[in-house]
Every structure is written in structure tokens, then in C-alpha cells.
């Protein structure tokens, strides 16, 4: 009988999507003019009233509307497709409501991110969206923003003192992946020997792994976690999987915390186990590589989709709400498991990638 290997990836809201595509560092400016450091709290409060009139009392009212809102966005690492697509979704929403969006890339550098947030404060933006590299290092600068009347929205991981958080429910997504996995191995009479490719340095990634383990424990299935190591990046995940499969040839399941973890593992599985029968599941599906694999690769049977473009759009909605005084405690962006037969319901081909069908994702919230 051919060996079956299940490879899963959980994306994030990472904050770790970690795909080495086109790098973009420094600031990308969409504003025509920067404001100066002399922006006062009184001016910010006056602008808040204007935003309330233009944006209305809820995020739904911003659709097709017009606003003089100025939003700063400081990302985690634009070399990753997760953040590229978050920015794309945020820009599309900002354009739709007439807001100005200025984007800066911390490039996985905590001290640089603090400096970039300081720059956004100096420019006198109305709100700042941050994908934190290190939440603790941002506490003081977030406090400074708040003192100047600037609202702060966090993507994925919450910073103390920020107004709200936008993200996917990481632990719940881990539980969903574990539930799917348990049902799949039971239905296919597989005795799973699992390699986990995690990312311990980020809380949301740890939550994904914890959720996955919790679901397996509750399921009552017989399983063994043979090895648990850091993955995250594709090459590291590929090498870690090669080492694991060499040391433990009985491994037949891989759980990764993002697309790159699983895609790296799939490359390793092909190298080590060529000719075997592989069954894989993506978790994240946040960019071109994961979407193409889910659409066309016969090794990929399903994926939990996290829709980063939608996350970016919700971040702008949250910024509008915060400036208007209507922010919720947190905004949960929807996810769902899809198979190949469901792919076209959520994605459509767009040049070398796939666009998200926002209307279909909207329905997941209902």
C-alpha cells in the first residue's frame, strides 16, 4: 500500500505568512502631502467629527462613501504574501471610501517599526494600522499616538493601549484544522505520525498549534506527534521536513502554521518519498502559491482559507470606526475550509494570481 502523507498549513493572521516573493521595504506613499509634527490633539478631534459625518455610524456606511480620513499602515514584512495582500485589500477599501493610505514596511525589525509609527504620528494621520513585530516594544509609541488623538488598530496581535484588533481567530482556526484532520484520518483508516512545523516566537502562531493539538486530543483518535520544530519559512521547513522524514520514516502527517511551512514540506516529501501516494491540505491559502496549489496541484485536496485581502479591508473599516468613536473590541475576519470543487466560489483568476470574491466571504459572517 502506498504511503499517505497529510500536510497542513495554518496562516495567519500572523502574523507569519513568510513567503519570499517580491520584497518591498521603506514607505509607499499614497498621500499627496505629509502633515507636520505640529498636528495637535485639538486638530485631530476636529477631524474626527468630519469623519463621523462622512463615514456614518458603522463600517457598512463607508461603502461607496467619501472621507478625508488619513490612515497610516505599518506592516510586519512586505516580502510576505500575507502582508502584500493585506495591503492590497486595505488600499482597495481606502480608495473606495476616498481615504488616503500611507504604507510603511518594518521588514521584521521591531525598532524600525517603532520609528515608522513615530513617523506616522508626525505626519498627523487620523489612525494607524499596525501588524506588530513585537507587541511590547510598541506600547510607548502607541500611547504617544493616543495622546495626540490618533487611533490605533492592530492586525493579528494586540498592543496594550490600542483601540482594537483585527484578525483571524488563530486558536479556533487551529481547532478547525485539527477537527478536519481527525475526521479525515478516521475516514481513511490512517494511523497518523505527525510532524509539526510551528513558529514559537509569535503568539498567534503558537495559538494555531495549540488549537490543532487540542482538537486532536478531544477527537479521541489514536495519533503520535513524532517531532515538533520551527518552520515558517519555506526553505527552513523543507530542510526540517527532510531531516524529520530521514530520522522518522514513519511520519505520514505534517501540520504547518502557514503556507510556506506546508509548501516547503511538500517539496521535501516529493524529494524523500517520490512515487508514494501523498494527500495534503493547505491551511492559509493567503497568496498565489497556496491558491495555485489548491486549485491545480493533485497533491492538495483542501485548504482553510484566511483571505488576507479581506483582513486588510476590515482593518480600514476598523480605522474608520475608531476615528468615528464606534470601534468594536475586536474584528474577526472569517475563514473557511474549501475543496477544489469550491475554489471558484471564493477565488477568480487574475493574471498570475487569484482575486478573492468578497461577496462570498461576506456570507461567511452571516
Amino acid at each position: 500500500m502506498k504511503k499517505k502523507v497529510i500536510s497542513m498549513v495554518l496562516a495567519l493572521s500572523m502574523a507569519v505568512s513568510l513567503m519570499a516573493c517580491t520584497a518591498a521595504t521603506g514607505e509607499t506613499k499614497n498621500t499627496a502631502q505629509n502633515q507636520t509634527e505640529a498636528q495637535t490633539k485639538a486638530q485631530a478631534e476636529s477631524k474626527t467629527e468630519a469623519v463621523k459625518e462622512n463615514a456614518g455610524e458603522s463600517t457598512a456606511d463607508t461603502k461607496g462613501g467619501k472621507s478625508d480620513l488619513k490612515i497610516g499602515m505599518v506592516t510586519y514584512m512586505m516580502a510576505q504574501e500575507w502582508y502584500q495582500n493585506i495591503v492590497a485589500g486595505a488600499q482597495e477599501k481606502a480608495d473606495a471610501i476616498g481615504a488616503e493610505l500611507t504604507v510603511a514596511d518594518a521588514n521584521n525589525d521591531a525598532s524600525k517599526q517603532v520609528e515608522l509609527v513615530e513617523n506616522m504620528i508626525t505626519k498627523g494621520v487620523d489612525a494607524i494600522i499596525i501588524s506588530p513585530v513585537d507587541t511590547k516594544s510598541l506600547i510607548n509609541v502607541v500611547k504617544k499616538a493616543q495622546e495626540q488623538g490618533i487611533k490605533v488598530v492592530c492586525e493579528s496581535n494586540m498592543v496594550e493601549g490600542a483601540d482594537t484588533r483585527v484578525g483571524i481567530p488563530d486558536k479556533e482556526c487551529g481547532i478547525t484544522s485539527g477537527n478536519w484532520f481527525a475526521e479525515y484520518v478516521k475516514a481513511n483508516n490512517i494511523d497518523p505520525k505527525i510532524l509539526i512545523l510551528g513558529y514559537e516566537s509569535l503568539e498567534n502562531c503558537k495559538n494555531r498549534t495549540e488549537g490543532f493539538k487540542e482538537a486532536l486530543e478531544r477527537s479521541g483518535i489514536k495519533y503520535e506527534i513524532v517531532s515538533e520544530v520551527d518552520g515558517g519559512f519555506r526553505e527552513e521547513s523543507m530542510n526540517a521536513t527532510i531531516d524529520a522524514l530521514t530520522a522518522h520514516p514513519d511520519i505520514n502527517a505534517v501540520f504547518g502554521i502557514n503556507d510556506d511551512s506546508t509548501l516547503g514540506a511538500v517539496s521535501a516529501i516529493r524529494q524523500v518519498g517520490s512515487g508514494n501516494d501523498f494527500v495534503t491540505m493547505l491551511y492559509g491559502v493567503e497568496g498565489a502559491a497556496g491558491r495555485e496549489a489548491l486549485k491545480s496541484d493533485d497533491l492538495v485536496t483542501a485548504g482553510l482559507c484566511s483571505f488576507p485581502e479581506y483582513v486588510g479591508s476590515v482593518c480600514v473599516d476598523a480605522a474608520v470606526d475608531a476615528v468615528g468613536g464606534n470601534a468594536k473590541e475586536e474584528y474577526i475576519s472569517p475563514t473557511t475550509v474549501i475543496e477544489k470543487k469550491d475554489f471558484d466560489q471564493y477565488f477568480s483568476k487574475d493574471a498570475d494570481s487569484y482575486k478573492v470574491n468578497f461577496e462570498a466571504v461576506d456570507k461567511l459572517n452571516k
Side-chain angles (χ1 to χ4, degrees):
M1 179 181 294
K2 294 182 177 180
K3 180 180 179 182
K4 292 188 177 181
V5 179
I6 302 166
S7 173
M8 306 180 65
V9 68
L10 183 61
L12 193 119
S13 77
M14 197 173 45
V16 184
S17 159
L18 305 171
M19 180 166 182
C21 272
T22 307
T25 59
E27 292 193 7
T28 302
K29 295 183 180 178
N30 296 310
T31 54
Q33 180 178 357
N34 292 333
Q35 296 186 14
T36 68
E37 193 169 5
Q39 175 80 32
T40 65
K41 184 174 181 180
Q43 289 173 314
E45 290 173 347
S46 175
K47 195 170 294 182
T48 295
E49 294 304 314
V51 171
K52 284 182 180 179
E53 292 181 6
N54 289 324
E57 291 300 311
S58 70
T59 57
D61 294 331
T62 69
K63 296 179 180 179
K66 183 69 177 175
S67 169
D68 65 352
L69 186 68
K70 289 180 171 60
I71 302 173
M73 189 174 201
V74 183
T75 71
Y76 181 99
M77 189 176 185
M78 280 288 285
Q80 304 166 3
E81 271 194 297
W82 173 257
Y83 294 105
Q84 293 170 24
N85 286 333
I86 282 181
V87 169
Q91 186 65 66
E92 184 173 346
K93 172 52 70 76
D95 291 344
I97 66 172
E100 294 182 352
L101 182 68
T102 300
V103 180
D105 179 26
N107 197 28
N108 195 22
D109 184 328
S111 60
K112 181 178 180 181
Q113 187 166 57
V114 171
E115 179 184 345
L116 293 172
V117 174
E118 290 270 9
N119 291 344
M120 294 296 180
I121 295 171
T122 299
K123 291 172 194 213
V125 297
D126 303 290
I128 306 173
I129 300 165
I130 308 173
S131 295
V133 175
D134 176 22
T135 57
K136 291 182 179 179
S137 70
L138 290 163
I139 293 174
N140 288 338
V141 74
V142 165
K143 181 179 180 182
K144 181 177 180 181
Q146 297 284 27
E147 288 173 348
Q148 297 196 26
I150 298 170
K151 302 301 182 180
V152 179
V153 175
C154 294
E155 182 272 322
S156 288
N157 293 315
M158 188 66 172
V159 177
E160 180 183 324
D163 291 276
T164 188
R165 168 190 176 270
V166 176
I168 63 172
D170 294 297
K171 187 170 183 178
E172 289 80 359
C173 283
I175 291 171
T176 300
S177 68
N179 288 339
W180 177 90
F181 181 90
E183 290 300 317
Y184 185 87
V185 297
K186 283 192 288 188
N188 290 275
N189 297 315
I190 298 170
D191 181 15
K193 309 293 184 183
I194 306 167
L195 164 65
I196 292 179
L197 294 168
Y199 203 80
E200 283 294 305
S201 64
L202 288 173
E203 182 179 356
N204 56 335
C205 293
K206 290 195 293 185
N207 288 340
R208 298 166 191 174
T209 300
E210 289 174 7
F212 177 74
K213 292 177 179 179
E214 183 177 310
L216 294 186
E217 189 65 24
R218 290 178 181 175
S219 71
I221 66 169
K222 181 181 178 182
Y223 70 94
E224 180 184 356
I225 297 174
V226 176
S227 181
E228 182 172 356
V229 296
D230 261 6
F233 297 88
R234 192 177 302 189
E235 185 174 356
E236 283 84 344
S237 296
M238 181 183 70
N239 292 335
T241 303
I242 289 174
D243 291 343
L245 291 174
T246 300
H248 306 281
D250 58 338
I251 289 175
N252 63 353
V254 179
F255 173 78
I257 48 77
N258 60 7
D259 278 1
D260 263 8
S261 293
T262 290
L263 293 175
V266 167
S267 295
I269 291 164
R270 283 197 169 107
Q271 291 181 50
V272 174
S274 180
N276 288 338
D277 183 18
F278 302 119
V279 180
T280 69
M281 180 183 179
L282 291 170
Y283 218 116
V285 197
E286 72 266 12
R291 293 169 189 177
E292 183 61 34
L294 179 57
K295 172 73 173 177
S296 305
D297 194 327
D298 59 3
L299 292 181
V300 178
T301 56
L304 188 142
C305 299
S306 54
F307 310 113
E309 294 92 336
Y310 196 93
V311 173
S313 180
V314 175
C315 283
V316 173
D317 283 339
V320 171
D321 283 354
V323 174
N326 303 303
K328 296 185 289 188
E329 185 175 348
E330 68 175 357
Y331 296 72
I332 298 300
S333 191
T335 60
T336 190
V337 174
I338 69 172
E339 300 177 20
K340 282 181 169 55
K341 63 183 177 60
D342 308 310
F343 187 89
D344 292 338
Q345 179 180 349
Y346 292 98
F347 299 102
S348 60
K349 188 70 175 177
D350 180 36
D352 295 329
S353 188
Y354 295 89
K355 290 184 66 174
V356 173
N357 180 346
F358 273 45
E359 290 185 3
V361 180
D362 278 334
K363 293 177 182 178
L364 296 174
N365 277 328
K366 298 178 180 179

